[in-house]
PDB file of all heavy atoms in Angstrom:
ATOM      1  N   ASP A  81      86.504 100.591 107.985  1.00  0.00           N
ATOM      2  CA  ASP A  81      85.509 100.603 106.906  1.00  0.00           C
ATOM      3  C   ASP A  81      85.518  99.292 106.112  1.00  0.00           C
ATOM      4  O   ASP A  81      84.472  98.811 105.693  1.00  0.00           O
ATOM      5  CB  ASP A  81      85.683 101.815 105.991  1.00  0.00           C
ATOM      6  CG  ASP A  81      87.043 101.894 105.316  1.00  0.00           C
ATOM      7  OD1 ASP A  81      88.052 101.488 105.935  1.00  0.00           O
ATOM      8  OD2 ASP A  81      87.105 102.385 104.178  1.00  0.00           O
ATOM      9  N   ILE A  82      86.679  98.687 105.943  1.00  0.00           N
ATOM     10  CA  ILE A  82      86.764  97.398 105.253  1.00  0.00           C
ATOM     11  C   ILE A  82      86.145  96.305 106.120  1.00  0.00           C
ATOM     12  O   ILE A  82      85.369  95.476 105.634  1.00  0.00           O
ATOM     13  CB  ILE A  82      88.217  97.049 104.884  1.00  0.00           C
ATOM     14  CG1 ILE A  82      88.733  98.021 103.825  1.00  0.00           C
ATOM     15  CG2 ILE A  82      88.327  95.599 104.400  1.00  0.00           C
ATOM     16  CD1 ILE A  82      90.189  97.840 103.477  1.00  0.00           C
ATOM     17  N   ARG A  83      86.481  96.296 107.417  1.00  0.00           N
ATOM     18  CA  ARG A  83      85.892  95.303 108.320  1.00  0.00           C
ATOM     19  C   ARG A  83      84.374  95.404 108.327  1.00  0.00           C
ATOM     20  O   ARG A  83      83.672  94.389 108.313  1.00  0.00           O
ATOM     21  CB  ARG A  83      86.444  95.469 109.737  1.00  0.00           C
ATOM     22  CG  ARG A  83      87.906  95.097 109.867  1.00  0.00           C
ATOM     23  CD  ARG A  83      88.354  94.954 111.314  1.00  0.00           C
ATOM     24  NE  ARG A  83      87.889  95.974 112.213  1.00  0.00           N
ATOM     25  CZ  ARG A  83      88.526  97.116 112.494  1.00  0.00           C
ATOM     26  NH1 ARG A  83      89.691  97.369 111.904  1.00  0.00           N
ATOM     27  NH2 ARG A  83      88.031  97.971 113.343  1.00  0.00           N
ATOM     28  N   LYS A  84      83.868  96.631 108.303  1.00  0.00           N
ATOM     29  CA  LYS A  84      82.416  96.831 108.312  1.00  0.00           C
ATOM     30  C   LYS A  84      81.789  96.276 107.037  1.00  0.00           C
ATOM     31  O   LYS A  84      80.791  95.559 107.082  1.00  0.00           O
ATOM     32  CB  LYS A  84      82.094  98.315 108.470  1.00  0.00           C
ATOM     33  CG  LYS A  84      80.627  98.605 108.615  1.00  0.00           C
ATOM     34  CD  LYS A  84      80.390 100.079 108.866  1.00  0.00           C
ATOM     35  CE  LYS A  84      78.903 100.359 109.010  1.00  0.00           C
ATOM     36  NZ  LYS A  84      78.644 101.781 109.242  1.00  0.00           N
ATOM     37  N   ARG A  85      82.368  96.575 105.869  1.00  0.00           N
ATOM     38  CA  ARG A  85      81.829  96.079 104.596  1.00  0.00           C
ATOM     39  C   ARG A  85      81.856  94.556 104.522  1.00  0.00           C
ATOM     40  O   ARG A  85      80.989  93.933 103.919  1.00  0.00           O
ATOM     41  CB  ARG A  85      82.601  96.669 103.421  1.00  0.00           C
ATOM     42  CG  ARG A  85      82.195  98.078 103.058  1.00  0.00           C
ATOM     43  CD  ARG A  85      82.706  98.476 101.681  1.00  0.00           C
ATOM     44  NE  ARG A  85      84.141  98.365 101.515  1.00  0.00           N
ATOM     45  CZ  ARG A  85      85.035  99.296 101.887  1.00  0.00           C
ATOM     46  NH1 ARG A  85      84.622 100.415 102.467  1.00  0.00           N
ATOM     47  NH2 ARG A  85      86.320  99.116 101.675  1.00  0.00           N
ATOM     48  N   LEU A  86      82.854  93.942 105.152  1.00  0.00           N
ATOM     49  CA  LEU A  86      82.981  92.484 105.120  1.00  0.00           C
ATOM     50  C   LEU A  86      82.175  91.793 106.209  1.00  0.00           C
ATOM     51  O   LEU A  86      82.167  90.561 106.301  1.00  0.00           O
ATOM     52  CB  LEU A  86      84.457  92.080 105.251  1.00  0.00           C
ATOM     53  CG  LEU A  86      85.369  92.464 104.096  1.00  0.00           C
ATOM     54  CD1 LEU A  86      86.810  92.096 104.414  1.00  0.00           C
ATOM     55  CD2 LEU A  86      84.911  91.795 102.810  1.00  0.00           C
ATOM     56  N   GLY A  87      81.514  92.578 107.054  1.00  0.00           N
ATOM     57  CA  GLY A  87      80.747  91.988 108.144  1.00  0.00           C
ATOM     58  C   GLY A  87      81.617  91.524 109.290  1.00  0.00           C
ATOM     59  O   GLY A  87      81.244  90.635 110.052  1.00  0.00           O
ATOM     60  N   LEU A  88      82.784  92.128 109.431  1.00  0.00           N
ATOM     61  CA  LEU A  88      83.729  91.747 110.479  1.00  0.00           C
ATOM     62  C   LEU A  88      83.893  92.832 111.539  1.00  0.00           C
ATOM     63  O   LEU A  88      84.861  92.806 112.298  1.00  0.00           O
ATOM     64  CB  LEU A  88      85.108  91.451 109.860  1.00  0.00           C
ATOM     65  CG  LEU A  88      85.149  90.337 108.822  1.00  0.00           C
ATOM     66  CD1 LEU A  88      86.514  90.318 108.132  1.00  0.00           C
ATOM     67  CD2 LEU A  88      84.850  89.004 109.456  1.00  0.00           C
ATOM     68  N   ALA A  89      82.941  93.766 111.596  1.00  0.00           N
ATOM     69  CA  ALA A  89      83.080  94.893 112.516  1.00  0.00           C
ATOM     70  C   ALA A  89      83.213  94.427 113.959  1.00  0.00           C
ATOM     71  O   ALA A  89      83.936  95.029 114.756  1.00  0.00           O
ATOM     72  CB  ALA A  89      81.901  95.848 112.361  1.00  0.00           C
ATOM     73  N   GLY A  90      82.524  93.340 114.332  1.00  0.00           N
ATOM     74  CA  GLY A  90      82.602  92.829 115.697  1.00  0.00           C
ATOM     75  C   GLY A  90      83.628  91.728 115.852  1.00  0.00           C
ATOM     76  O   GLY A  90      83.648  91.032 116.850  1.00  0.00           O
ATOM     77  N   GLY A  91      84.473  91.544 114.860  1.00  0.00           N
ATOM     78  CA  GLY A  91      85.461  90.463 114.873  1.00  0.00           C
ATOM     79  C   GLY A  91      85.033  89.379 113.905  1.00  0.00           C
ATOM     80  O   GLY A  91      83.955  89.423 113.336  1.00  0.00           O
ATOM     81  N   GLY A  92      85.858  88.413 113.737  1.00  0.00           N
ATOM     82  CA  GLY A  92      85.539  87.323 112.826  1.00  0.00           C
ATOM     83  C   GLY A  92      86.785  86.639 112.324  1.00  0.00           C
ATOM     84  O   GLY A  92      87.877  86.872 112.839  1.00  0.00           O
ATOM     85  N   SER A  93      86.609  85.810 111.316  1.00  0.00           N
ATOM     86  CA  SER A  93      87.716  85.026 110.770  1.00  0.00           C
ATOM     87  C   SER A  93      87.909  85.322 109.295  1.00  0.00           C
ATOM     88  O   SER A  93      86.946  85.588 108.571  1.00  0.00           O
ATOM     89  CB  SER A  93      87.425  83.529 110.920  1.00  0.00           C
ATOM     90  OG  SER A  93      87.346  83.170 112.267  1.00  0.00           O
TER      91      SER A  93
END
Side-chain angles (χ1 to χ4, degrees):
D81 59 326
I82 293 175
R83 291 193 316 269
K84 185 176 180 181
R85 280 195 303 277
L86 294 176
L88 301 170
S93 296

